[in-house]
Amino acid sequence: MKKIDSITVRLPYITQKIFIGCDIFDFALREIIAMRYDKLIVVVDSNFYKLIKSNLERCSENKIADIIVISPVKKYKEFNACSEIIQKMVQAKMNRNCCLIAIGGGYVGDITGFVATNYMRGIDFIQIPTTVMSMSDAIIGKVAINFGGIKNLLGSFYSPRYTFCDINLLLTLNKKEIIFGLVEVWKHTLVVNDNSIARKIADYLDGKSYPDIFFDLTKFSLKTKKKIVENDFNDKNGIHKALSLGHTYANYLEQKFNLRHGEAVFYGIILEIILSLHFNTINQDKFNSIKPLIKKFEENIGMLHKIQTLINIEEIINNLKFDKINQGNHFTFVLLTKNGFCVKSNVTSGNLREAFIEFSKFNIL
Ligand SMILES: NC(=O)c1ccc[n+]([C@@H]2O[C@H](COP(=O)([O-])OP(=O)(O)OC[C@H]3O[C@@H](n4cnc5c(N)ncnc54)[C@H](O)[C@@H]3O)[C@@H](O)[C@H]2O)c1
């Protein structure tokens, strides 16, 4: 019998059941086929489809109405990818008792979830995440697509009803993608001040991995996210903003430098840590305790110098006016504190320019 753990996330609009295990992909497909849905449509990106085509063919029965293979290219996290899915759903006469299955990373999850939340005012979707990013961060509480070049402009607070995290699916993921996903796990360690998990990430970056590491890291991230999202599912009472650490700058960096999401979040976190020092929400000792892990990430990602050279603070300030967590004329940032995070809502352009000078001089290696 395979070891399978589960986590239940209780949200006002849905109870989400998450299964985590190793080698549970076929189990997941069998469970899904046996569910009460009239029809299922699978959405998968073309890279990953090649790897699971035969599993899907083995398990698919009449209940799977279609398998939609989408391009993994990032620019397609736009509405045109959604309309392709919607057209196939209409052709398959999908009603409210049908379900979408997203198999892939965060892009597939967001596009599929966005369609599920809108089709006939909302149908169920099920997610089988296949990247560290999606397993640890993109399966609870929200879905979004880009619009007009603005990241995550359209979306809603929505979760899959069931999620199956098969850690073995990560075996085919390349090391860079794993590291980008680990940035989000690191973000979770920072906002809840968990040093033991941060050490496990450092061990992985040092090449000292052990078999269950991704099982442990995924469980930690999902439990952290569960606690935050159950307390503030629609980002209204402040605690949900913890999940935005690094993202205020990251949304700009991702578009400007064509970065992968995890890369952009990494540099976004550095910028927000420097802002935390600027506002004295953390002291130098706390910063020194975080620095070794920043260094290990930078040794693997290696874009700091390019970003310091090409970044334009006036462009950032202009771009930040669209940020979702701003209030009034000032900017809102999630900053680090000694034991976790705080939300600073009266940040001015002047503050950002001053902290930015520190960032341009920042040298970690
Ligand atoms: N909704 C949320 O809460 C949330 C949270 C975090 C990120 N996101 C979104 O997720 C997206 C990034 O997701 P991602 O980092 O998973 O990227 P991704 O979905 O683009 O996947 C990365 C690449 O890995 C390939 N791939 C996926 N799984 C694989 C596997 N197991 N083996 C081999 N190749 C595999 C894909 O084809 C793709 O080329 C961004 O759009 C981001 O905004 C959403």
Side-chain angles (χ1 to χ4, degrees):
M1 185 69 184
K2 292 182 188 18
K3 179 182 163 203
I4 302 180
D5 273 7
S6 70
I7 294 176
T8 302
V9 185
R10 292 189 174 79
L11 299 168
Y13 56 91
I14 208 166
T15 297
Q16 177 183 7
K17 188 100 182 163
I18 302 173
F19 298 92
I20 313 164
C22 295
D23 196 17
I24 62 166
F25 187 72
D26 285 351
F27 158 81
L29 291 179
R30 280 196 306 276
E31 287 289 305
I32 294 168
I33 301 273
M35 286 174 190
R36 57 172 175 81
Y37 298 108
D38 292 342
K39 273 180 200 164
L40 306 163
I41 282 191
V42 174
V43 183
V44 57
D45 83 36
S46 54
N47 288 340
F48 195 67
Y49 181 57
K50 289 180 213 135
L51 303 171
I52 51 145
K53 195 166 181 274
S54 57
N55 304 56
L56 270 181
E57 281 166 1
R58 257 202 321 276
C59 290
S60 63
E61 294 167 8
N62 293 340
K63 236 175 154 180
I64 296 193
D66 208 342
I67 297 173
I68 304 175
V69 182
I70 59 171
S71 160
V73 182
K74 169 174 162 171
K75 65 180 179 199
Y76 289 112
K77 202 176 109 169
E78 298 267 352
F79 190 75
N80 50 358
C82 300
S83 67
E84 189 190 330
I85 299 170
I86 296 165
Q87 276 165 19
K88 297 254 169 97
M89 292 169 78
V90 173
Q91 276 162 18
K93 299 191 170 47
M94 300 273 280
N95 60 24
R96 273 215 176 134
N97 194 37
C98 295
C99 180
L100 287 177
I101 323 290
I103 306 179
Y107 285 113
V108 175
D110 265 354
I111 286 166
T112 311
F114 181 82
V115 172
T117 185
N118 284 292
Y119 189 79
M120 293 191 173
R121 301 197 182 94
I123 64 165
D124 279 2
F125 86 110
I126 294 173
Q127 220 172 332
I128 304 184
T130 64
T131 59
V132 175
M133 169 71 67
S134 53
M135 285 190 200
S136 60
D137 200 48
I139 54 172
I140 300 179
K142 48 190 176 190
V143 294
I145 60 166
N146 307 342
F147 184 83
I150 302 172
K151 172 100 181 150
N152 292 340
L153 188 70
L154 305 179
S156 52
F157 297 103
Y158 205 66
S159 265
R161 190 168 289 279
Y162 299 95
T163 309
F164 297 86
C165 299
D166 179 356
I167 303 297
N168 280 22
L169 296 181
L170 301 176
L171 292 172
T172 50
L173 199 60
N174 70 44
K175 190 166 177 210
K176 279 254 163 187
E177 291 292 342
I178 289 179
I179 290 167
F180 301 156
L182 286 178
V183 171
E184 294 281 11
V185 184
W186 177 50
K187 175 193 80 180
H188 292 141
T189 71
L190 290 171
V191 296
V192 298
N193 196 27
D194 188 316
N195 296 326
S196 67
I197 294 289
R199 269 195 298 278
K200 286 186 184 187
I201 297 172
D203 282 349
Y204 176 82
L205 295 175
D206 279 340
K208 286 187 267 170
S209 194
Y210 61 92
D212 278 348
I213 187 164
F214 287 104
F215 189 86
D216 294 348
L217 296 177
T218 303
K219 254 183 88 171
F220 159 77
S221 269
L222 293 178
K223 283 186 167 174
T224 304
K225 242 193 133 163
K226 166 190 157 78
K227 227 185 260 171
I228 291 172
V229 175
E230 280 183 343
N231 273 299
D232 184 17
F233 84 98
N234 58 356
D235 205 353
K236 285 278 195 275
N237 77 25
I239 188 173
H240 198 125
K241 292 194 173 38
L243 301 173
S244 297
L245 179 72
H247 287 63
T248 308
Y249 279 116
N251 289 345
Y252 161 82
L253 295 171
E254 191 171 337
Q255 306 278 351
K256 166 88 180 170
F257 294 100
N258 202 17
L259 300 183
R260 307 273 310 116
H261 183 67
E263 278 177 300
V265 173
F266 173 59
Y267 295 106
I269 292 177
I270 295 182
L271 276 152
E272 289 176 25
I273 288 175
I274 288 172
L275 204 54
S276 307
L277 279 168
H278 180 80
F279 283 112
N280 292 318
T281 61
I282 57 167
N283 61 20
Q284 198 61 38
D285 286 348
K286 171 81 183 183
F287 180 57
N288 290 343
S289 71
I290 305 168
K291 246 171 134 178
L293 194 44
I294 298 182
K295 182 169 184 284
K296 285 183 209 299
F297 271 119
E298 177 57 15
E299 282 163 355
N300 283 280
I301 300 177
M303 298 273 293
L304 182 61
H305 181 67
K306 181 178 173 190
I307 289 174
Q308 283 172 318
T309 314
L310 297 177
I311 202 167
N312 177 332
I313 186 63
E314 297 311 322
E315 207 175 77
I316 295 180
I317 290 170
N318 203 31
N319 190 280
L320 286 183
K321 292 181 183 143
F322 274 108
D323 200 81
K324 288 183 275 301
I325 67 172
N326 285 334
Q327 286 165 1
N329 287 329
H330 291 113
F331 303 114
T332 298
F333 276 85
V334 178
L335 301 181
L336 280 192
T337 61
K338 186 172 172 221
N339 297 317
F341 77 98
C342 66
V343 178
K344 181 124 186 84
S345 54
N346 52 354
V347 180
T348 65
S349 311
N351 298 139
L352 294 182
R353 289 189 189 99
E354 283 159 16
F356 188 71
I357 294 171
E358 294 306 312
F359 172 71
S360 55
K361 291 188 281 193
F362 180 64
N363 185 7
I364 194 75
L365 296 178

